Amino acid sequence: MRLYLCLFLLLGSGVLLCQETQPEERVYKYSLELRHDNDFPVFTDRYYTTGNFIGWRTKLNPGKDSTEQRQYNLFVVQQLYTPADIIETDIKKFDRPFAGFLGLSNGLTITNTRRLIDVSVLIGVSGPPSGGAAIQEAFHSAPAVSSRLPTWLGQLRTSAFGNIYGTYTREWQWEPNPFSVHFALSQLAALGNKDIYSQQEAAFFFGRRSSLQKTSAYQQIGDLKKEFFFAVRVAYRYIFHDAMQEGDFIGDSSPFLIKPHRNRFIYNFEMNGRIKRHNFMVAYNYATPENRRAFPHLYVTFSITRAF
């Protein structure tokens, strides 16, 4: 956790301390993103409580269709899930199991002027090898936090996972800059032994924003124009399987598992900005209860990206 925070601060300090030695006309083909999800800023510590992401994106050469742009995405992913009462010692009283996941995601994003297609493959492992318990215990043991130590009793046992995720987005621009309005519809799907779901999403973007192929809203590489906008997203997800709650459908002997709600609504409000080579994003994410015992959940996302 300390290493992750140091990397985050080091990357962010480039905005204030680094001098741009290259002309702004240069086209950058790489970017590094650090993203962190946490519900600590909203004073809770439950359900999807922490997510750590380190990602590298590469802009690929155009294919046969010169109007399309392609990007390769590589991410290291760590996610932590806990019940509402992290110090409870009676597993029967849990509202979800403790679960940690550590994985590697490879993906390809293809865009033209009006639509985006994103396909990624995620492989990873749950259980103690994910490092979930160690990360959370280290955070709660820190002198600055000094809070209750989670028990991590009955966490999901070690399992290997493989998943495919796909997104199709179609976008329309309703108003131009300096205060543009964009509207997008997305269809998302997941298939594998970690997640199986179908999700429909609508998104509105307001403010100074570049086109679909250049905007930081979709982490597109190669443009340095200043952006500052906010987005509102509403999504409906139908869940066929959620291994972080009900275990691996191939077979799971974890001591506590629970069936998820099949229907979930997800709401998001985010602020985005671009200053030269740096993209920033802060988002509030709200979701309806994930199972019959759980409560609604709110967490915050912080992201910073630098182009190279």
Side-chain angles (χ1 to χ4, degrees):
M1 178 66 75
R2 292 180 180 176
L3 176 60
Y4 184 87
L5 291 174
C6 289
L7 286 171
F8 195 94
L9 293 173
L10 179 62
L11 192 61
S13 66
V15 180
L16 300 176
L17 302 179
C18 294
Q19 298 293 323
E20 298 289 342
T21 59
Q22 299 293 337
E24 290 194 354
E25 291 76 13
R26 174 182 172 184
V27 176
Y28 295 93
K29 294 187 176 182
Y30 310 98
S31 71
L32 174 67
E33 179 184 4
L34 300 179
R35 187 165 81 245
H36 181 67
D37 298 336
N38 209 303
D39 59 353
F40 185 76
V42 292
F43 309 106
T44 60
D45 196 2
R46 63 188 185 189
Y47 311 147
Y48 175 51
T49 184
T50 302
N52 298 315
F53 306 82
I54 301 177
W56 180 261
R57 294 183 175 90
T58 302
K59 188 173 184 178
L60 304 176
N61 294 327
K64 295 180 179 180
D65 186 349
S66 60
T67 64
E68 290 188 338
Q69 290 185 176
R70 300 183 299 166
Q71 288 185 185
Y72 169 71
N73 314 306
L74 176 66
F75 272 80
V76 176
V77 179
Q78 185 184 49
Q79 297 170 312
L80 282 65
Y81 304 83
T82 68
D85 188 350
I86 61 174
I87 62 172
E88 177 60 62
T89 57
D90 185 352
I91 293 178
K92 294 180 180 179
K93 295 181 180 179
F94 285 1
D95 51 7
R96 65 151 298 126
F98 283 97
F101 176 80
L102 179 66
L104 184 69
S105 173
N106 289 268
L108 179 67
T109 303
I110 303 173
T111 59
N112 63 21
T113 57
R114 292 188 176 183
R115 65 104 178 100
L116 175 147
I117 298 173
D118 182 87
V119 178
S120 62
V121 176
L122 175 69
I123 57 173
V125 63
S126 65
S130 70
I135 287 289
Q136 194 176 43
E137 288 171 2
F139 176 76
H140 282 263
S141 299
V145 179
S146 187
S147 59
R148 306 174 303 167
L149 288 177
T151 63
W152 277 83
L153 288 175
Q155 69 167 300
L156 284 187
R157 294 185 176 174
T158 303
S159 295
F161 293 98
N163 241 84
I164 298 176
Y165 298 88
T167 301
Y168 178 89
T169 298
R170 179 74 164 81
E171 186 175 82
W172 296 265
Q173 182 175 358
W174 289 350
E175 295 292 337
N177 283 322
F179 192 85
S180 66
V181 179
H182 292 77
F183 173 67
L185 291 175
S186 298
Q187 173 65 52
L188 298 83
L191 181 63
N193 66 331
K194 181 179 183 290
D195 296 304
I196 304 177
Y197 63 75
S198 175
Q199 178 174 314
Q200 295 77 44
E201 179 181 286
F204 295 87
F205 303 88
F206 304 92
R208 180 177 290 277
R209 212 207 80 172
S210 299
S211 64
L212 187 149
Q213 290 183 304
K214 297 180 178 181
T215 180
S216 60
Y218 301 105
Q219 296 297 342
Q220 295 296 289
I221 307 171
D223 194 72
L224 297 177
K225 289 184 180 179
K226 185 179 294 185
E227 290 187 309
F228 184 77
F229 60 92
F230 66 92
V232 178
R233 304 175 191 268
V234 179
Y236 165 74
R237 177 179 295 184
Y238 186 84
I239 299 170
F240 297 91
H241 182 76
D242 179 0
M244 295 297 101
Q245 293 191 76
E246 55 187 325
D248 188 347
F249 64 72
I250 299 174
D252 198 306
S253 58
S254 299
F256 180 82
L257 300 171
I258 191 169
K259 289 287 185 180
H261 278 322
R262 298 304 177 197
N263 303 282
R264 294 195 77 188
F265 290 91
I266 303 167
Y267 308 93
N268 167 282
F269 175 81
E270 64 185 52
M271 299 292 296
N272 293 263
R274 175 192 285 149
I275 303 175
K276 295 184 178 180
R277 289 195 282 163
H278 299 84
N279 301 337
F280 305 90
M281 188 268 285
V282 178
Y284 283 84
N285 310 278
Y286 176 88
T288 55
E290 60 184 359
N291 62 58
R292 68 183 186 278
R293 295 186 180 183
F295 299 97
H297 187 47
L298 176 67
Y299 68 92
V300 183
T301 297
F302 304 94
S303 172
I304 181 170
T305 303
R306 179 177 172 88
F308 296 90

